[in-house]
Amino acid sequence: FRLVADDTQLGGALGKYAVGTLKAKNVAVIDDRTAYGQGVAEEFAKAVEAAGGKVVAKEFTTDKATDFNSILTTIKGKKPDVVFFGGMDAVAGPMLKQMKSLGIKAKFMGGDGICTTGLPELAGGTIVDDQVFCAEAGGVEGESKAGMDEFRTKFKAKYNVDVQVYAPYVYDAVKIMVGAMEKANSSDPAKYLPVLAATTDYKGVTGPITFDEKGDIKNGALTLKTVRDGKLETMAVIR
């Protein structure tokens, strides 16, 4: 069972955002050939095409690479509005540097692998405002904000550290599991898992929780971020 959006939702929401909000007509997709990078890039490409955009280039590298001039030169010739990278920040940083040196002015997008406070430094200060867009799984909005704020305050008071991104989801996960065990009157997975699977609209600190038939959260939220003034900034919660 999963309480945050999976890579299908992550890539899909970003693809829809690229075409619908950033108005991208042509996109280039690069992945690092890892299960994560390739998976999220494929979902992004599918969502772009479903939204009416066009994937003009599909290239790949590795999660250890530092030189991208060959694939970026190929991509430059296709004149994309957006370059999407499925991979991690350690590769995305140098890639952004080389995009700048090649004069590629496209927006740069990626999943939670590049959505880090360290990305601007890894890119050598070459990122301009609103050039990079990324998303990480999870996010609260509307009525759920009050519950999350209260959780953050209590967490800080108890442990004297700020909440890290997934702590509230672990908290909700434990509460849901305990609730299912109590309802089933058993800690035997064979008995409590069917109860857990039937969880509907559970009011967690991260928002309402309902599982689909695979155990993924329905309508999982993502937090969209961008880089401004060399810092990662939260923009909105998207689904």
Side-chain angles (χ1 to χ4, degrees):
F1 294 89
R2 189 185 343 236
L3 267 68
V4 294
D6 65 5
D7 292 347
T8 303
Q9 293 166 308
L10 183 65
L14 285 169
K16 195 164 63 174
Y17 187 85
V19 177
T21 304
L22 297 181
K23 306 300 178 192
K25 290 185 172 62
N26 300 315
V27 307
V29 178
I30 307 169
D31 74 73
D32 66 358
R33 295 285 103 165
T34 64
Y36 162 73
Q38 192 171 352
V40 77
E42 285 172 359
E43 293 300 333
F44 175 84
K46 279 195 276 189
V48 162
E49 289 175 337
K54 189 177 179 186
V55 178
V56 294
K58 278 187 178 177
E59 300 288 338
F60 62 89
T61 181
T62 74
D63 58 350
K64 307 280 190 308
T66 54
D67 182 8
F68 316 101
N69 275 301
S70 176
I71 60 173
L72 289 176
T73 300
T74 301
I75 283 169
K76 185 180 179 181
K78 306 286 177 68
K79 299 180 179 174
D81 306 305
V82 165
V83 174
F84 181 90
F85 174 59
M88 308 303 283
D89 59 354
V91 176
M95 189 180 289
L96 279 157
K97 258 199 258 191
Q98 287 167 40
M99 280 175 62
K100 169 107 175 175
S101 67
L102 287 168
I104 299 172
K105 292 186 168 64
K107 303 285 189 191
F108 189 84
M109 297 185 78
D112 47 0
I114 75 159
C115 225
T116 68
T117 54
L119 181 68
E121 190 178 337
L122 288 163
T126 58
I127 299 172
V128 298
D129 288 0
D130 300 313
Q131 176 194 3
V132 172
F133 294 87
C134 60
E136 61 187 27
V140 295
E141 58 187 339
E143 293 173 4
S144 299
K145 276 187 176 176
M148 181 67 94
D149 287 345
E150 186 184 357
F151 178 85
R152 289 181 195 282
T153 302
K154 287 181 174 178
F155 190 95
K156 180 73 181 269
K158 187 170 180 68
Y159 302 110
N160 200 32
V161 290
D162 290 324
V163 163
Q164 297 301 300
V165 66
Y166 295 121
Y169 296 89
V170 176
Y171 178 82
D172 277 348
V174 173
K175 296 280 276 187
I176 289 173
M177 282 186 73
V178 169
M181 288 175 185
E182 287 176 340
K183 202 168 177 183
N185 199 27
S186 175
S187 60
D188 178 358
K191 293 180 179 172
Y192 79 78
L193 284 180
V195 178
L196 182 59
T199 298
T200 305
D201 213 24
Y202 174 86
K203 300 291 188 287
V205 296
T206 60
I209 296 160
T210 302
F211 296 116
D212 67 14
E213 66 282 356
K214 293 187 295 180
D216 282 320
I217 189 168
K218 282 188 177 178
N219 200 28
L222 301 156
T223 300
L224 184 74
K225 299 188 175 186
T226 190
V227 175
R228 288 179 186 144
D229 196 25
K231 294 186 183 72
L232 201 61
E233 280 190 16
T234 297
M235 293 178 68
V237 173
I238 60 172
R239 295 176 191 273

